[in-house]
Amino acid sequence: MKLIHLLLIFSFVLTAFSGCVSERGGTGVYDNQTETLSYQGEQLTPIAQQRNNAIKGTQYIDRESYRLQVDGLVENPRNFTYEEITELPQTSKVVDLNCVEGWSFTAKWTGVKIDEIFEEVGAMENATTVIFYSADGYSTSLDKDYLLENDIILAYKLNDVTLPPERGFPLQLVAEDKYGYKWAKWIIRIELSDSPYRGYWEERGYNNIANVGGPAFERRG
Ligand SMILES: Nc1nc2c(c(=O)[nH]1)N[C@H]1C(S)=C(S)[C@@H](COP(=O)(O)O)O[C@H]1N2
Ligand SMILES: [Mo]
């Protein structure tokens, strides 16, 4: 092996390693945006230390061709572009994500209240359930009342940076006080319905209520 090859390998390893160290150190830069690590006196978990947990790994969604389809029990079914979503009124809050497996992290989430989307499409009175469908075939649902009463947001930023692909770009539901499996990532469609729905993990026995601290599984049969 020639010296130049060794040098190339050495510099590659060095670059990879330093990238890792700087993210752990909290200077994570994503898409030219620098991550925030505290907000309103609260310590946030660096993105590099947040766990990823997805049935089919990271989904890569193209910003230009992306559309959020909103349909079902709505007056005006509509496909939103990424810009149409980010131009709606913006809300930020610090919320913990708790996976049923026992790990959690704290982040600052920025996005649009789902109520703003409901206003845009004219959510019907008789809609009780909201179903979220993701690009990886994942799905989950929540009660419409829960979403409205808690000002639940669809986040397009976390810790002040645009959601990186592994974090759910373009949208992750910030289902506060609900287990992680309600926090759909890579959302491509929202359907309003008048009947209960069991998503990917709920269909496999996980509790459809999913309150943090409550039972993870549901007795069935
Ligand atoms: N599209 C999609 N969303 C998903 C999942 C998934 O597999 N696919 N997993 C869920 C589970 S079980 C958890 S705990 C959280 C983890 O969120 P995070 O990867 O952003 O930390 O994502 C949830 N959202
Ligand atoms: Mo999870």
Side-chain angles (χ1 to χ4, degrees):
M1 197 188 282
K2 288 184 187 149
L3 182 63
I4 184 75
H5 291 140
L6 279 171
L7 283 172
L8 276 173
I9 291 167
F10 181 70
S11 65
F12 175 77
V13 169
L14 204 70
T15 320
F17 184 68
S18 63
C20 187
V21 166
S22 74
E23 283 183 10
R24 289 233 184 93
T27 54
V29 176
Y30 300 84
D31 202 16
N32 286 322
Q33 302 162 316
T34 304
E35 182 179 15
T36 301
L37 292 177
S38 78
Y39 180 64
Q40 296 177 340
E42 297 202 63
Q43 286 294 112
L44 310 174
T45 310
I47 292 172
Q49 287 172 26
Q50 298 173 6
R51 294 233 223 158
N52 292 310
N53 198 0
I55 53 166
K56 287 183 184 157
T58 299
Q59 304 295 304
Y60 296 89
I61 292 179
D62 175 56
R63 185 186 300 229
E64 297 304 316
S65 56
Y66 174 75
R67 295 293 181 273
L68 173 66
Q69 179 183 339
V70 185
D71 60 10
L73 297 175
V74 300
E75 306 287 351
N76 309 297
R78 192 174 143 188
N79 290 331
F80 294 82
T81 65
Y82 184 74
E83 273 65 37
E84 284 171 338
I85 294 162
T86 54
E87 279 164 8
L88 290 169
Q90 183 174 295
T91 305
S92 293
K93 45 182 158 179
V94 174
V95 185
D96 293 347
L97 183 152
N98 296 274
C99 175
V100 274
E101 290 173 333
W103 52 270
S104 68
F105 66 85
T106 305
K108 175 185 176 185
W109 304 91
T110 301
V112 57
K113 280 184 199 162
I114 198 144
D115 189 31
E116 298 283 349
I117 306 274
F118 289 171
E119 291 285 325
E120 293 286 317
V121 296
M124 292 181 187
E125 279 298 315
N126 58 333
T128 51
T129 300
V130 181
I131 309 166
F132 299 87
Y133 300 92
S134 302
D136 55 353
Y138 192 82
S139 66
T140 191
S141 76
L142 285 157
D143 285 349
K144 180 161 140 256
D145 286 347
Y146 156 82
L147 297 170
L148 297 181
E149 285 162 13
N150 297 286
D151 290 328
I152 297 304
I153 65 174
L154 284 168
Y156 41 79
K157 284 189 166 197
L158 103 153
N159 293 356
D160 286 345
V161 308
T162 300
L163 282 189
E166 70 274 16
R167 312 294 326 139
F169 179 86
L171 295 174
Q172 179 168 25
L173 184 73
V174 181
E176 49 189 290
D177 303 323
K178 299 287 184 183
Y179 284 128
Y181 56 87
K182 293 290 181 182
W183 294 53
K185 301 164 81 166
W186 309 293
I187 298 170
I188 53 171
R189 179 180 170 213
I190 299 174
E191 181 190 9
L192 282 77
S193 164
D194 60 2
S195 45
Y197 175 91
R198 300 189 78 91
Y200 183 87
W201 286 120
E202 296 89 336
E203 209 181 21
R204 289 163 176 76
Y206 283 89
N207 193 314
N208 209 11
I209 309 291
N211 285 333
V212 172
F217 295 96
E218 229 168 287
R219 267 177 81 130
R220 306 177 77 193

